[in-house]
Amino acid sequence: MADSTATAPVDPANWSCPAPLRDRPVVVMGHGGGGALSAELVDGVFAPAFGNPVLAQLADSAVVRLGEARLAFSTDSYVVRPLFFPGGCIGDLAVNGTVNDLAMSGAVPAFLSTAFVLEEGVAMDVVERVAGAVGAAARAAGVTVATGDTKVVESGHGDGVYITTSGIGLVADGVDIRPQRARPGDAVLVSGPIGLHGVAIMSVREGLEFGVDVASDTAPLAGLVEAMLRVTPDIHVLRDPTRGGLAASLNEIARASGTGVRLTERAVPVPDAVANACAFLGLDPLYVANEGRLVAFVAREHAEAVLAAMRAHPQGAGAALVGECVEDHPGMVVVSTGLGGTRVVDMPLGEQLPRIC
């Protein structure tokens, strides 16, 4: 257990741990897990190489001006294994993931590009199923697949199908959603039960049964964000807690804003199937990936109205107020447990379950 009296985030480089850290000369799976190793890769390699004020915001999507328009622009790659899983597949995941990254900047998504990397020998009906899922998900999300590309790699040099999607959308004037805007007093809201995507992937990949079918929560969230913005355009932060789960997203927000976050453990909606799976495997639901959930930081005076609007929307029916942004322990996330104690929820080192998106 982490030390709840700590006053600053722990530097993973100082840990004594057999896991690979920043001084390793090669890329490891943890570098793609959305945790501390991913942050080190971005901070140590990509940010110095590409550094500019737009990139420095490190949000889910970049917000830029092009003429009179404010555009959100995002790109993401999908390497999930297996390609098909309960509740979805790599195709709808690729659409929903990029649509959601745009929505986390308050944008109305409009156009996507798709790039397919196909492995030699993959069955054509698999490619057709994935492409069909991309098209169906785009129509459901109200976006147009406007351009794309296809490459083929030799057998043994891929994993069937990889997809990269990029997207653009329009951001209304007056909307300023970014992690630096979290402030003490903000309410922390989540849009529904957490951990379903990670457990769904785990169940089919590892052949595990948890007594009940678990389906991924993959879904487009732009409509939910629009409903929230109709209540107030002054939503401070939005994030979709994918790799690294809710814990990683909250740590990123706390560190970007220089504030602390306090969660109430019993308020976080964790389905029984997720709780049972995590208990069986020794995992923490806060670190399990989601693909159809968001976390929002909202000024306290707007929190109840925003929460009501979320619950009135199909993608936010299970929304809950789970914590608050505080002045204490800046840059850190803590949880008030059901037993009356407090524990630190640190940034994950890598990913509990790799290749989940």
Side-chain angles (χ1 to χ4, degrees):
M1 181 182 297
D3 181 4
S4 62
T5 65
T7 58
V10 176
D11 184 351
N14 296 325
W15 291 355
S16 176
C17 175
L21 295 176
R22 69 176 71 172
D23 58 349
R24 294 300 178 101
V26 298
V27 173
V28 298
M29 289 300 296
H31 283 118
L37 287 177
S38 292
E40 289 174 6
L41 184 63
V42 171
D43 294 341
V45 177
F46 298 123
F50 310 148
N52 59 73
V54 177
L55 183 65
Q57 303 236 352
L58 293 179
D60 284 334
S61 59
V63 176
V64 297
R65 280 206 174 269
L66 191 62
E68 297 300 314
R70 290 181 75 209
L71 296 180
F73 178 36
S74 184
T75 191
D76 210 341
S77 295
Y78 298 85
V79 296
V80 63
R81 180 172 58 86
L83 298 176
F84 302 92
F85 47 83
C89 74
I90 191 172
D92 44 54
L93 195 67
V95 171
N96 293 338
T98 297
V99 164
N100 293 346
D101 282 347
L102 296 171
M104 295 308 104
S105 293
V108 178
F111 296 99
L112 298 183
S113 71
T114 64
F116 280 69
V117 177
L118 308 177
E119 183 184 11
E120 180 185 24
V122 66
M124 194 60 72
D125 67 337
V126 168
V127 180
E128 291 174 349
R129 286 177 64 191
V130 172
V134 168
R139 290 187 289 273
V143 296
T144 299
V145 178
T147 187
D149 185 41
T150 304
K151 295 292 188 296
V152 177
V153 297
E154 296 88 347
S155 178
H157 291 266
D159 200 10
V161 179
Y162 297 151
I163 303 176
T164 295
T165 48
S166 297
I168 58 173
L170 288 172
V171 183
D173 287 334
V175 173
D176 182 17
I177 300 174
R178 48 193 170 88
Q180 293 81 4
R181 291 199 67 218
R183 61 188 64 168
D186 282 356
V188 179
L189 314 176
V190 296
S191 63
I194 66 169
L196 290 166
H197 179 72
V199 171
I201 295 291
M202 187 187 317
S203 65
V204 67
R205 183 188 299 174
E206 308 299 335
L208 301 175
E209 296 183 2
F210 302 111
V212 62
D213 291 336
V214 180
S216 170
D217 58 0
T218 178
L221 298 175
L224 174 61
V225 172
E226 287 187 64
M228 297 166 68
L229 289 171
R230 282 196 290 270
V231 175
T232 174
D234 189 30
I235 292 174
H236 296 163
V237 188
L238 293 172
R239 275 290 171 96
D240 55 336
T242 53
R243 297 175 303 169
L246 185 61
S249 292
L250 292 178
N251 271 279
E252 290 169 355
I253 294 166
R255 295 179 186 186
S257 62
T259 62
V261 176
R262 181 185 296 121
L263 294 181
T264 301
E265 188 171 54
R266 288 180 173 173
V268 179
V270 180
D272 288 343
V274 172
N276 293 339
C278 289
F280 176 72
L281 296 166
L283 304 178
D284 186 334
L286 294 177
Y287 292 92
V288 179
N290 312 272
E291 287 293 344
R293 298 289 180 255
L294 64 78
V295 57
F297 282 56
V298 181
R300 179 63 67 170
E301 62 265 29
H302 300 305
E304 290 301 324
V306 171
L307 187 60
M310 294 171 72
R311 289 173 172 167
H313 191 278
Q315 298 304 332
L321 193 160
V322 298
E324 61 181 339
C325 188
V326 297
E327 294 182 357
D328 299 336
H329 49 78
M332 295 181 64
V333 180
V334 303
V335 171
S336 299
T337 69
L339 298 176
T342 300
R343 65 184 176 95
V344 173
V345 178
D346 207 352
M347 177 71 84
L349 182 63
E351 171 58 68
Q352 296 181 109
L353 186 70
R355 302 281 298 280
I356 46 79
C357 65

